[in-house]
Amino acid sequence: MRNHGRVNNSPDRSRLYPRVTSFRFRRGTLTTGQQRNWETLWPVLGRDLEIGPERVPEPQLDLTDLFGRDAPKVLEIGSGTGISTAAMAEAEPDVDVLAVEVYKPGLAQLLGLVDRNGLTNVRLIRGDAAIVLTELIPSSSLTGVRLFFPDPWPKSRHHKRRFVQTGTLELIADRLIPGGVLHIATDHAGYAEWIAEALATQDADRPHVVQLTRESPILLERPTTKFEGRAERDGRYVSEFVYTRPIPPVTSTGDTPTGARHE
């Protein structure tokens, strides 16, 4: 694993995020067990976002009400099959995880993991993570944002579809609390260079993130999935970036985040 410093009032959305999707809709048939999970658990733990040009803006979430408690909140963008999501949620029961994914079988598998492991700190959204960030998530409300192995869109003409852009970094920074952490992992060398460049060229006068150099308020250790193991066997090394929203200087009336734990 390569280490890049990386460890192992709402902004104008039209400026922040280009309206091209950063994901591919993948078709998939649910197994019998996944279909059962979907029918019984999705109405309780999940929600679908509206799609299409006629959709109306989503109402902002009350994250405390969504999870039924006041606890640190982590947004995972692109939870895939949910293996890392469930494992990290189980290891961190005092942290609430909101997983966003478009692949229905992956969400159904995550529902099964949540059910079998008795997890109460995971909620799921099926839809565009850009919409989740721009419309559903309040400013300064997240302790962490995880983006593990996003679609690299390797062809040059598709680079505009990559999720990591100047605008999305600014948007994520705005949604993080001061001291909150952005954790990105990719096994695509070209995308790693793109991410490093985007992080290095942020506007310091706007919401932004800087390299984390202190203890992290959330877990940083990821389980190694079969996908990642195959990538390493194929010679594709994982690059990780761990950045944080700067904490303002302490004033007589200001507070700083507490409860940081060791990486």
Side-chain angles (χ1 to χ4, degrees):
M1 178 171 63
R2 290 179 181 165
N3 184 320
H4 289 277
R6 325 157 6 178
V7 175
N8 207 10
N9 329 326
S10 297
D12 174 20
R13 61 180 293 186
S14 63
R15 183 182 67 81
L16 283 178
Y17 198 80
R19 291 316 302 155
V20 291
T21 58
S22 59
F23 54 85
R24 296 182 178 93
F25 281 104
R26 293 184 291 162
R27 297 182 183 273
T29 302
L30 301 186
T31 65
T32 300
Q34 289 174 343
Q35 185 63 42
R36 184 171 58 250
N37 292 339
W38 196 265
E39 292 173 356
T40 60
L41 299 175
W42 185 256
V44 179
L45 300 176
R47 97 178 247 188
D48 287 280
L49 299 185
E50 293 184 12
I51 60 175
E54 302 302 320
R55 61 175 289 278
V56 297
E58 297 285 340
Q60 195 171 82
L61 285 174
D62 182 328
L63 295 175
T64 299
D65 182 66
L66 179 65
F67 287 90
R69 66 174 182 173
D70 186 11
K73 301 294 188 285
V74 170
L75 177 69
E76 181 168 354
I77 298 171
S79 54
T81 58
I83 294 173
S84 295
T85 311
M88 297 178 81
E90 185 173 17
E92 231 173 6
D94 58 333
V95 172
D96 293 330
V97 179
L98 180 59
V100 181
E101 177 58 64
V102 295
Y103 186 49
K104 187 174 179 179
L107 289 167
Q109 181 169 321
L110 176 54
L111 286 172
L113 293 170
V114 167
D115 186 43
R116 288 194 297 274
N117 296 330
L119 304 179
T120 60
N121 59 333
V122 178
R123 301 291 184 272
L124 304 85
I125 292 179
R126 187 183 185 203
D128 188 343
I131 292 175
V132 174
L133 279 168
T134 54
E135 298 178 11
L136 279 75
I137 303 299
S139 295
S140 302
S141 61
L142 299 173
T143 302
V145 173
R146 290 173 176 145
L147 180 61
F148 297 157
F149 306 101
D151 194 326
W153 292 102
K155 295 181 180 179
S156 296
R157 68 177 182 273
H158 292 155
H159 285 181
K160 63 184 177 182
R161 296 183 179 275
R162 288 176 168 175
F163 192 84
V164 177
Q165 307 280 349
T166 300
T168 46
L169 287 176
E170 184 177 320
L171 183 57
I172 288 170
D174 179 81
R175 276 28 177 183
L176 289 170
I177 63 171
V181 169
L182 168 62
H183 185 185
I184 306 174
T186 180
D187 67 336
H188 189 278
Y191 202 0
E193 294 177 1
W194 173 281
I195 293 167
E197 176 67 16
L199 288 166
T201 56
Q202 297 172 88
D203 185 349
D205 292 329
R206 300 191 63 84
H208 64 285
V209 289
V210 298
Q211 187 173 319
L212 181 69
T213 57
R214 59 179 182 277
E215 296 175 353
S216 172
I218 61 170
L219 182 69
L220 298 179
E221 184 178 353
R222 298 180 297 101
T224 300
T225 64
K226 291 181 180 179
F227 170 82
E228 186 175 345
R230 184 167 61 250
E232 291 181 353
R233 289 192 297 273
D234 292 343
R236 301 194 308 273
Y237 297 98
V238 176
S239 297
E240 302 206 42
F241 304 82
V242 179
Y243 277 64
T244 182
R245 180 176 177 178
I247 298 176
V250 177
T251 65
S252 59
T253 59
D255 296 321
T256 56
T258 59
R261 49 175 79 106
H262 293 282
E263 298 178 10

